[in-house]
Amino acid sequence: MGKVAVGSAVLCAATACAVAALIVRHRMRNSGRWARAMAILKEFEEKCATSTSKLRQVADAMAVEMHAGLASEGGSKLKMLISYVDNLPTGDEKGLFYALDLGGTNFRVLRVQLGGREGRVAKQEFTEVSIPPHLMTGTSDALFDYIAAELAKFVAMEGEGFHLSVGRQRELGFTFSFPVRQTSISSGTLIKWTKGFSIEDAVGEDVVAELTRAMERQRLDMRVSALVNDTIGTLAGGRYHDNDVLIAVILGTGTNAAYVERAHAIPKWHGLLPKSGEMVINMEWGNFRSSHLPVTEYDQALDSDSLNPGEQIFEKMLSGMYLGEIVRRVLCRMAEEAAFFGDTVPPKLQVPFVLRTPEMSAMHRDSSPDLKVVGTKMKDILGISSTSLKIRKVVVEICNIVSTRGARLAAAGIYGILKKVGRDVVRDGEKQRTVVAMDGGLFEHYSEYSTCLQSTLRELLGEVVADTVAIEHANDGSGIGAALLAASHSQYLKPDES
């Protein structure tokens, strides 16, 4: 063989060795990256663990905080607000009542004709109105004048099937889903605005008085009989359809719970005990916190980057506003530390709240063989065009971990309320039944979440007690609930009816 041939052969062999070495190094690097990604996943899963014993600790802590919040103002992270709702609907309500539901960039106006035990909700109509953005940051008069004008328009369209008794004033239930310090069933001062509203001259003012003055300017003869928040409206709407409803929980963008408490179990209540012996308590449970909550570094980072650091810790772990964001933060760390999506971190993945919970839910429930939905969402939302099946499976697993933790914590919270009111056991000779009215898009549309919540509550209660507790979906409870509360707190009720 000539020198050239020998040289070529040596060169080819060297090249082949170099290529082989590159392949080995590439494989080793890839396997090293994969191992790092799996380590991040495993650590996250372990820190999110919600064993039955841990959930029992969370429920016990919830019950302790409930006691503390009822004992004194500021005694707990749970505000345990007295709602002044001491009469829930019974089904006997009759007449025409209105509701106004203000809780975001739209408000709804509703009218219902109640026909008592036989007629129930004989007829109802509603309209939804968008609030122009400039009114969300303007003056109190401008906002309430706009609302009152739309309300007057709606009243003017009152048609057949709606009858106001002769000599009676129209009555309204006002659902106002912003932080309010309630002073009676029909008055409360605004503590602060949320959800993009910022109207300085309304803070510290009685929102019912503001609305009443605006209605007077419109020459609309209507009285606000009940001021409530959406959770209490859900409880009222639930009770109207089922007398065993004791608790209401909203699981949507945010989360909250309300329940019926015995009036004598509220040490901070200094007024006369209501004749019913009961009082609805607005827990504001999104602000619950405990050392037993499985908080991860991702939760801590999300909290510190939020508009309200240190507040609403429970809400940030289990409500619709935040679940998708937790998933995004875990994926971002995998991209940064394990080159999970290639050598560079996808720019869109670094955008806070780009991954919303409805998209997370769609990926979680993807049952196609190649997880096509996951692939499409990763491409459309995060700009990651090619993902292997292996990567897609990891994404689904992260969704599952986050959703499961949230659902199980929500169940623990409900179990804590049941413990507080003594419905976590079945006493001999009692045929009790307890219903939890649930509302909110997260519970309604994220089926894996709601299924997990219900099975976890059953696990905590045990089979015997679980058979006495039901979770029922109360769709749009807050709207009709406010009208029903206007009816059950009507100025025309006789003393023995109130």
Side-chain angles (χ1 to χ4, degrees):
M1 189 184 289
K3 285 181 181 177
V4 174
V6 170
S8 296
V10 170
L11 190 62
C12 285
T15 304
C17 283
V19 170
L22 274 170
I23 291 168
V24 169
R25 277 203 298 274
H26 180 70
R27 283 180 180 161
M28 285 176 66
R29 191 174 71 201
N30 277 355
S31 66
R33 286 173 171 180
W34 185 257
R36 177 68 194 124
M38 291 306 95
I40 291 169
L41 179 66
K42 187 170 186 294
E43 180 190 34
F44 180 60
E45 186 173 23
E46 287 169 357
K47 286 186 176 174
C48 286
T50 47
S51 63
T52 309
S53 59
K54 184 180 271 291
L55 292 179
R56 290 188 189 283
Q57 290 175 319
V58 169
D60 288 342
M62 179 72 80
V64 166
E65 290 296 315
M66 289 172 73
H67 276 284
L70 290 173
S72 63
E73 293 298 343
S76 163
K77 278 282 185 184
L78 292 179
K79 288 193 173 71
M80 302 301 285
L81 300 172
I82 292 167
S83 69
Y84 294 86
V85 172
D86 54 7
N87 284 297
L88 284 164
T90 60
D92 294 322
E93 292 78 14
K94 288 184 178 180
L96 171 64
F97 294 91
Y98 278 78
L100 167 64
D101 190 347
L102 175 65
T105 52
N106 297 334
F107 66 88
R108 298 204 328 143
V109 186
L110 175 98
R111 64 174 145 247
V112 293
Q113 187 74 40
L114 301 173
R117 192 69 64 178
E118 300 301 316
R120 306 298 285 182
V121 179
K123 191 171 182 183
Q124 62 175 304
E125 291 176 347
F126 77 92
T127 186
E128 190 157 328
V129 183
S130 290
I131 298 174
H134 72 275
L135 291 179
M136 295 168 64
T137 55
T139 65
S140 182
D141 281 357
L143 175 67
F144 284 103
D145 280 345
Y146 180 76
I147 291 169
E150 292 295 331
L151 182 56
K153 270 190 227 170
F154 186 68
V155 171
M157 290 160 54
E158 202 175 270
E160 286 183 28
F162 295 99
H163 310 287
L164 185 68
S165 299
V166 177
R168 286 198 174 189
Q169 184 183 27
R170 286 180 180 80
E171 293 182 284
L172 174 84
F174 185 13
T175 303
F176 186 77
S177 299
F178 298 91
V180 161
R181 187 167 285 106
Q182 197 111 3
T183 46
S184 76
I185 182 60
S186 58
S187 62
T189 56
L190 175 62
I191 298 168
K192 63 175 180 180
W193 289 104
T194 55
K195 307 172 195 176
F197 283 77
S198 180
I199 302 169
E200 286 306 313
D201 66 342
V203 175
E205 297 297 322
D206 180 351
V207 294
V208 172
E210 296 287 307
L211 177 62
T212 301
R213 282 193 290 270
M215 290 193 295
E216 286 168 356
R217 288 193 289 270
Q218 290 291 328
R219 292 183 167 76
L220 176 59
D221 184 22
M222 185 176 275
R223 175 181 182 269
V224 178
S225 299
L227 172 68
V228 295
N229 79 354
D230 52 356
T231 317
I232 290 165
T234 298
L235 180 59
R239 175 64 72 93
Y240 183 73
H241 295 292
D242 190 329
N243 208 41
D244 293 324
V245 170
L246 194 73
I247 300 166
V249 176
I250 289 191
L251 282 164
T253 306
T255 183
N256 192 15
Y259 74 105
V260 182
E261 181 59 274
R262 295 151 300 171
H264 64 75
I266 311 170
K268 69 181 180 183
W269 172 260
H270 299 303
L272 288 170
L273 288 180
K275 285 181 186 165
S276 66
E278 296 180 336
M279 180 62 71
V280 174
I281 298 294
N282 167 18
M283 290 177 64
E284 292 293 335
W285 86 348
N287 209 37
F288 170 69
R289 67 187 310 164
S290 161
S291 58
H292 300 298
L293 291 175
V295 178
T296 69
E297 65 206 83
Y298 307 98
D299 301 301
Q300 289 165 341
L302 184 154
D303 177 49
S304 64
D305 292 344
S306 71
L307 295 171
N308 55 346
E311 300 293 318
Q312 302 296 105
I313 301 300
F314 197 54
E315 180 169 84
K316 286 168 183 170
M317 295 178 77
L318 59 93
S319 78
M321 173 101 182
Y322 302 99
L323 298 183
E325 173 62 4
I326 298 167
V327 172
R328 183 197 70 82
R329 285 174 180 264
V330 178
L331 289 173
C332 207
R333 181 162 175 219
M334 286 182 165
E336 289 164 358
E337 295 186 18
F340 197 58
F341 301 111
D343 291 330
T344 58
V345 179
K348 285 188 179 176
L349 185 59
Q350 299 175 68
V351 178
F353 293 95
V354 69
L355 182 61
R356 293 166 59 253
T357 300
E359 274 71 46
M360 166 191 170
S361 167
M363 293 194 295
H364 190 175
R365 75 163 64 97
D366 187 1
S367 57
S368 59
D370 59 348
L371 298 178
K372 185 181 177 184
V373 175
V374 178
T376 303
K377 296 288 182 191
M378 297 298 282
K379 182 183 175 197
D380 294 349
I381 299 160
L382 301 175
I384 303 167
S385 54
S386 55
T387 48
S388 65
L389 182 58
K390 206 160 67 160
I391 283 174
R392 292 177 191 183
K393 284 180 176 175
V394 171
V395 172
V396 173
E397 182 54 27
I398 295 168
C399 294
N400 185 54
I401 293 167
V402 172
S403 165
T404 299
R405 181 186 68 166
R408 286 176 68 80
L409 287 175
I414 295 168
Y415 181 49
I417 301 172
L418 291 167
K419 284 179 82 96
K420 170 68 181 72
V421 295
R423 296 297 183 99
D424 60 322
V425 290
V426 175
R427 291 173 180 83
D428 289 343
E430 281 190 15
K431 292 184 78 175
Q432 71 180 30
R433 177 172 173 268
T434 308
V435 178
V436 182
M438 300 282 291
D439 199 9
L442 182 64
F443 180 80
E444 185 179 357
H445 300 301
Y446 198 153
S447 53
E448 288 76 12
Y449 187 104
S450 48
T451 301
C452 178
L453 186 156
Q454 294 187 71
S455 63
T456 304
L457 187 59
R458 194 163 193 88
E459 173 191 322
L460 290 167
L461 289 168
E463 292 299 315
V464 174
V465 183
D467 285 342
T468 70
V469 176
I471 288 179
E472 291 183 358
H473 180 222
N475 193 19
D476 182 39
S478 67
I480 197 156
L484 290 165
L485 285 168
S488 59
H489 292 81
S490 169
Q491 62 187 319
Y492 300 108
L493 285 178
K494 298 182 188 78
D496 59 339
E497 291 179 292
S498 61

